[in-house]
């Protein structure tokens, strides 16, 4: 009796796991195709780099230094910092580093800051806009890559959003692998299949026409996810630019990571509660944009997929046990290829020993977040030199 019950439970879990893991594996196969670079063009569009910043005095100058080091004509780009309700000297330091600075003292939030920046810059003749976080390092080819992609007709672009401090701790090494998957291989697969790569908040770029047609009216704590849904609703798809990057600093400790991850998970849960039902019914009516948006918000965290994959092989028997092992192998292949394409193979080997503890921490964080019913303000993630 007990064995039969466990087998039924194992089959139920395996069927649930098969959908997201099968989808991830399909993206893995598509993502093996290496994206060709857009044809170089002599015409250089006028591009603005936008950096929303809230109490970022520690790293803002380093971020601006990397942004200004682009292999792109200096007369054709500029860096703009929005010092949003700062209580430190972010604005002063940003100005000293060579950025144009706006100071906001009301209606705080990253989405609100970006809407202000876009509305202001549209009054001038800027042709494209790149948004990066205040702790990020741009690859020196970023603007040239975006210029070529814009010139080839792409309206919305996403640089490879990665990490600039993977070797600080085992936790940051695990984050590098996670970003190689979530920000690298999966969006690469979606781009190869003609789907929208998604927006990741750091390193996304919009053409002038895009922001005119689809204003930045995303003010939640996961404003990038919210704005991606607005883009899809207006029939815009995001293309991944895998050969240029924006690398952000990730927290070294569990304590610093928790506040950041908690905001992300809480925001994603809020998006599911607010949008999933309507998107589901829109999908049933045949709206392809709704299906893409629905998948974007309901995809479970990698830690949950691993747990779902392992459980049938532990509690089931016979065929369902083999199905569980197959699901585990599909995830292993996915992360192995992600580490080769977008991360570090040596890091992959090191992280393999750390993964169980990381999954336990991440799962606990998600469960704890689900119990919170309130929204969170834009709280700066703890930085370090």
């Amino acid at each position: 009796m007990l064995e039969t019950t466990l087998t039924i439970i194992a089959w139920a879990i395996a069927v649930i796991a098969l959908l997201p893991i099968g989808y991830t594996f399909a993206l893995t196969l598509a993502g093996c195709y290496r994206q060709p670079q857009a044809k170089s063009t002599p015409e250089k569009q006028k591009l603005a780099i936008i950096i929303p910043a809230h109490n970022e005095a520690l790293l803002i100058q380093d971020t601006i230094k990397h942004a200004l080091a682009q292999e792109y004509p200096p007369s054709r780009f500029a860096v703009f910092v929005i010092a949003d309700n700062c209580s430190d000297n972010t604005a002063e330091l940003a100005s000293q580093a060579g950025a144009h600075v706006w100071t906001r003292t009301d209606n705080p939030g990253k989405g609100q800051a970006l809407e202000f920046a876009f509305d202001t810059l549209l009054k001038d003749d800027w042709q494209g806009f790149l948004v990066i976080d205040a702790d990020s390092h741009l690859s020196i080819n970023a603007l040239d890559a975006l210029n070529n992609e814009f010139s080839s007709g792409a309206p919305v672009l996403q640089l490879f959003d990665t990490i600039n401090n993977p070797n600080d701790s085992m936790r940051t090494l695990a984050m590098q692998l996670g970003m190689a998957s979530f920000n690298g291989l999966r969006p690469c697969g979606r781009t190869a299949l003609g789907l929208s790569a998604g927006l990741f908040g750091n390193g996304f770029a919009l053409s002038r026409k895009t922001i005119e047609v689809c204003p930045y009216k995303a003010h939640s704590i996961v404003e990038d996810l919210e704005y991606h849904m607005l883009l899809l609703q207006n029939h815009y798809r995001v293309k991944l630019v895998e050969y240029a990057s924006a690398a952000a600093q990730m927290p070294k400790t569990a304590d610093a990571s928790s506040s950041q991850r908690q905001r992300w998970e809480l925001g994603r849960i809020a998006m599911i509660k607010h949008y999933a039902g309507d998107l589901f019914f829109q999908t049933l009516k045949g709206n392809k944009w709704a299906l893409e948006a629905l998948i974007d918000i309901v995809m479970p965290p990698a830690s949950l997929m691993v747990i779902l994959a392992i459980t049938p092989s532990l509690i089931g028997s016979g065929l369902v046990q083999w199905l569980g092992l197959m699901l585990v192998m599909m995830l292993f292949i996915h992360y192995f290829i992600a580490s080769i394409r977008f991360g570090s193979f040596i890091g992959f080997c090191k992280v393999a020993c750390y993964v169980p503890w990381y999954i336990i921490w991440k799962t606990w964080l998600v469960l704890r977040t689900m119990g919170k019913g309130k929204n969170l303000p834009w709280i700066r993630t703890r930085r370090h030199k």
Side-chain angles (χ1 to χ4, degrees):
M1 180 66 179
L2 178 61
E3 183 178 349
T4 301
T5 301
L6 289 176
T7 299
I8 293 173
I9 294 173
W11 271 110
I13 294 173
V15 170
I16 293 172
L18 187 59
L19 292 173
I21 295 176
Y23 174 69
T24 299
F25 192 68
L27 295 181
T28 302
L29 298 179
C32 291
Y33 171 73
R34 192 171 293 277
Q35 176 191 6
Q37 297 187 19
K39 185 178 179 181
S40 181
T41 175
E43 180 185 354
K44 303 300 179 184
Q45 297 189 25
K46 190 176 178 184
L47 304 177
I49 300 175
I50 304 172
I51 306 175
H54 175 64
N55 290 341
E56 295 286 1
L58 184 63
L59 296 177
I60 190 65
Q61 290 193 321
D62 190 48
T63 298
I64 295 169
K65 180 185 75 173
H66 281 84
L68 291 173
Q70 291 293 296
E71 291 182 340
Y72 202 75
S75 62
R76 303 301 293 168
F77 81 98
V79 177
F80 297 87
V81 171
I82 314 106
D84 191 72
N85 290 268
C86 295
S87 58
D88 63 6
N89 60 338
T90 294
E92 179 184 354
L93 293 174
S95 180
Q96 291 173 2
H100 303 272
V101 180
W102 296 302
T103 300
R104 296 181 71 245
T105 57
D106 62 347
N107 192 21
K110 182 178 178 181
Q112 293 89 325
L114 287 175
E115 182 182 11
F116 166 82
F118 287 129
D119 288 346
T120 303
L121 291 170
L122 282 174
K123 298 174 183 177
D124 207 336
D125 59 348
W126 299 98
Q127 297 168 279
F129 311 93
L130 168 63
V131 177
I132 64 171
D133 286 342
D135 61 345
S136 297
H137 295 170
L138 276 178
S139 61
I140 60 175
N141 68 325
L143 288 188
D144 193 55
L146 294 176
N147 176 71
N148 295 335
E149 294 287 351
F150 279 142
S151 297
S152 69
V156 190
L157 301 164
Q158 173 65 57
L159 300 177
F160 173 41
D161 178 17
T162 185
I163 175 174
N164 66 29
N165 59 321
N167 297 316
D168 279 3
S169 68
M170 189 59 72
R171 184 174 298 277
T172 56
L173 204 57
M175 288 180 179
Q176 182 193 43
L177 180 60
M179 296 177 83
S181 162
F182 193 82
N183 297 357
L185 188 58
R186 283 197 257 183
C188 184
R190 286 197 289 264
T191 295
L193 293 173
L195 304 173
S196 183
L199 290 183
F200 306 119
N202 185 32
F204 70 90
L206 309 171
S207 69
R208 183 184 184 92
K209 182 180 178 182
T210 300
I211 199 65
E212 288 176 337
V213 172
C214 188
Y216 206 89
K217 298 292 184 181
H219 295 167
S220 70
I221 55 175
V222 281
E223 86 296 327
D224 51 341
L225 183 61
E226 184 180 3
Y227 187 64
H228 184 225
M229 287 193 288
L230 295 176
L231 288 171
L232 290 172
Q233 191 171 6
N234 284 275
H235 308 291
Y236 284 105
R237 285 189 169 90
V238 184
K239 180 180 180 181
L240 178 71
V241 183
E242 65 171 85
Y243 54 93
S245 66
Q249 184 189 94
M250 291 292 115
K252 294 190 293 185
T253 65
D255 182 49
S257 297
S258 294
S259 63
Q260 183 188 64
R261 292 286 173 175
Q262 201 170 340
R263 291 198 311 277
W264 291 348
E265 298 301 344
L266 185 62
R268 182 173 289 273
I269 291 169
M271 290 293 103
I272 292 173
K273 290 180 178 178
H274 190 73
Y275 290 105
D278 182 61
L279 289 173
F280 177 73
F281 287 113
Q282 290 291 336
T283 299
L284 294 180
K285 294 178 182 178
N287 290 342
K288 294 181 179 180
W289 74 265
L291 177 60
E292 286 196 58
L294 181 62
I295 292 174
D296 195 32
I297 65 172
V298 302
M299 273 294 288
S303 56
L304 179 57
M305 285 198 289
V306 171
I307 292 173
L308 291 174
I310 291 175
T311 302
S313 60
L314 294 179
I315 69 172
S317 60
L319 185 59
V320 71
Q321 194 171 37
W322 284 104
L323 178 57
L325 291 173
M326 183 188 73
L327 293 173
V328 171
M329 184 57 64
M330 290 166 71
L331 286 176
F332 177 85
I333 292 172
H334 168 76
Y335 280 99
F336 176 78
I337 294 176
S339 71
I340 298 296
R341 290 275 278 111
F342 294 97
S344 161
F345 175 69
I346 295 177
F348 172 80
C349 296
K350 291 180 179 179
V351 167
C353 300
Y354 175 73
V355 160
W357 304 108
Y358 184 78
I359 290 174
I360 292 171
W361 170 79
K362 183 70 181 295
T363 304
W364 164 244
L365 187 66
V366 172
L367 293 175
R368 190 175 65 178
T369 301
M370 291 176 68
K372 293 182 178 292
K374 62 179 182 179
N375 207 342
L376 293 178
W378 185 19
I379 304 171
R380 182 185 66 83
T381 301
R382 193 181 307 165
R383 314 292 190 201
H384 57 274
K385 277 291 189 181

